[in-house]
Amino acid sequence: MTVLLWILAVLALPLVIAALWFTGVFVKELFSPSPPGPDATALAAERLGLLPAERQDTEHAAPPPAAWSAALAAARGGDWAPAAELLRANGRDWERRSVLTAELGTLAAEEDGWLLAWEAARPDDPDAAVVRAQSTVRLAWDLRGARQARYTSREQFEGFGRMLSAARKEIARAAELNPEDPTPYVVEIWVALGLGCSHAEMDELWERITSRAPYHYGAHYAALQYWCAKWRGSKELAFDFARRAAERAPVGSLLTVLPLVARFEHDETTDVAADSTPEMLSLVDAGLADAAACAASDPGRPGLAQLRHLLAYYLHLQDRHAAALEQFRLVDGHVDALPWSYRGEDTASYYCRVRNETVGMVAETV
């Protein structure tokens, strides 16, 4: 009988061990708080007034001015006069002129009846001419598509080249009609990039721009794309261009974004520690000072939102979550900016995932 009891005890031992293990797990889960999951961080973001992915604007980096929206709406309805008046009233604010021209050119690339009417009414209007040049360049890039060269057909490349060549004539005409305006030359950067113009040609074009607007944000952003390895330059050339431009520019010019863009465009590592080096910390701190100075003097300046988006991203990677959340709160609702915009249809969801991670990390420290 004793032997039989010993046998039964040995057989029951694994069941006893398993029961104790499950009991321990249950007690641990009962008394230990779980880290917030994706739903919890999304709810926390909502409580802060931050918007879900489906309510993010993926066509703008910041809210467009009301007057711009009204002029674009009028142009869609066939009335070009508000757009013409807006460009006239803008005067020599070259940065806003470039951005507004890009908005109007994008619209004209889709449907240009209103622009044709404008050109017919005012044949030598430099504002209409620069919008036409911009629209042709935009149409060329639309014909090419956004995919890599190996996925782009010969027909697409041929149409792309023809449209860019046509745009050069239109750019030259716009520049002739308004010699002080750097906007036609800013537009031409995208032609130089697409046609593969030489570095010497790009240097000559750059001189034309900077002699008219030495710290033009949009021009610097476009030129940096030219110097990137994926287009007509290299990692070294891109970093050198970005560094020199940022060092020479006054605080508030927003050009501290350039080294961050260069870093993002050439980042081939998954090592987050590489984003927290003393150099990267210094670049982000410079960007914060630049953004603060710009916000104090011109809070609606083109480029400020793009800088804030990149600051939020790199502050998050540097575990500076409170500072990252501050930037997220300033840009939330409009996400057509690096680093999110390269995700295509996932732009808004990617933005919200990183933002909500930041919200969760801040909540853990409170």
Side-chain angles (χ1 to χ4, degrees):
M1 186 67 178
T2 303
V3 173
L4 179 60
L5 290 173
W6 274 106
I7 292 172
L8 292 173
V10 170
L11 292 175
L13 184 60
L15 294 175
V16 174
I17 294 172
L20 290 171
W21 183 80
F22 279 114
T23 300
V25 170
F26 174 76
V27 171
K28 182 178 180 181
E29 289 296 321
L30 183 63
F31 293 102
S32 298
S34 299
D39 291 343
T41 59
L43 289 172
E46 184 178 347
R47 286 194 293 270
L48 291 174
L50 303 175
L51 301 177
E54 61 270 19
R55 294 182 60 192
Q56 299 291 335
D57 181 343
T58 58
E59 295 183 358
H60 301 93
W68 292 24
S69 298
L72 287 163
R76 289 188 188 94
D79 183 5
W80 54 268
E85 174 57 24
L86 200 58
L87 278 172
R88 186 203 63 77
N90 181 80
R92 296 172 57 86
D93 187 339
W94 304 129
E95 291 194 14
R96 283 182 171 82
R97 180 177 174 82
S98 289
V99 178
L100 179 55
T101 297
E103 292 276 354
L104 293 168
T106 297
L107 180 60
E110 298 170 2
E111 200 289 311
D112 70 344
W114 60 275
L115 181 55
L116 288 168
W118 184 359
E119 292 168 323
R122 300 178 182 175
D124 295 321
D125 188 336
D127 296 339
V130 76
V131 171
R132 172 61 68 189
Q134 176 73 74
S135 72
T136 304
V137 172
R138 178 55 189 257
L139 183 57
W141 283 95
D142 287 345
L143 289 172
R144 183 199 181 280
R147 304 183 73 184
Q148 295 179 354
R150 63 178 179 270
Y151 301 119
T152 304
S153 69
R154 184 180 68 180
E155 290 76 14
Q156 285 175 293
F157 272 122
E158 289 175 351
F160 179 56
R162 284 195 302 271
M163 293 301 292
L164 288 182
S165 296
R168 291 191 121 170
K169 298 177 183 178
E170 295 169 355
I171 288 168
R173 180 171 181 270
E176 182 180 357
L177 289 170
N178 191 356
E180 295 183 341
D181 184 11
T183 311
Y185 302 113
V186 177
V187 174
E188 192 169 2
I189 293 176
W190 297 102
V191 177
L193 190 154
L195 294 180
C197 294
S198 69
H199 292 179
E201 291 174 295
M202 181 61 188
D203 288 339
E204 182 179 348
L205 175 60
W206 192 239
E207 172 60 29
R208 292 177 180 175
I209 294 170
T210 54
S211 64
R212 292 167 171 82
Y215 307 117
H216 192 295
Y217 175 88
H220 281 81
Y221 190 94
L224 178 56
Q225 291 295 317
Y226 173 93
W227 292 112
C228 282
K230 66 181 181 180
W231 289 111
R232 308 303 173 185
S234 66
K235 179 178 180 179
E236 293 73 23
L237 288 171
F239 273 72
D240 184 58
F241 173 83
R243 177 188 56 78
R244 286 187 289 108
E247 289 177 351
R248 294 171 181 173
V251 176
S253 67
L254 304 177
L255 296 189
T256 54
V257 76
L258 298 175
L260 299 178
V261 174
R263 162 69 180 164
F264 180 78
E265 292 283 5
H266 298 89
D267 187 3
E268 298 177 349
T269 179
T270 57
D271 182 10
V272 178
D275 297 306
S276 297
T277 62
E279 179 185 7
M280 281 299 295
L281 291 169
S282 178
L283 289 176
V284 169
D285 286 342
L288 288 168
D290 205 9
C294 180
S297 61
D298 187 1
R301 185 172 178 177
L304 178 56
Q306 172 62 91
L307 176 56
R308 290 200 187 283
H309 278 284
L310 277 171
L311 288 173
Y313 176 70
Y314 281 112
L315 286 165
H316 168 79
L317 294 180
Q318 294 172 356
D319 291 332
R320 301 162 71 181
H321 298 294
L325 181 56
E326 181 181 354
Q327 298 301 317
F328 276 121
R329 297 182 76 162
L330 289 166
V331 298
D332 195 66
H334 299 79
V335 295
D336 184 26
L338 292 180
W340 334 112
S341 56
Y342 281 7
R343 294 298 183 106
E345 294 182 357
D346 294 328
T347 291
S349 59
Y350 177 50
Y351 164 83
C352 286
R353 179 171 66 80
V354 177
R355 182 203 66 192
N356 291 354
E357 287 176 5
T358 299
V359 171
M361 296 303 295
V362 171
E364 287 184 4
T365 62
V366 174

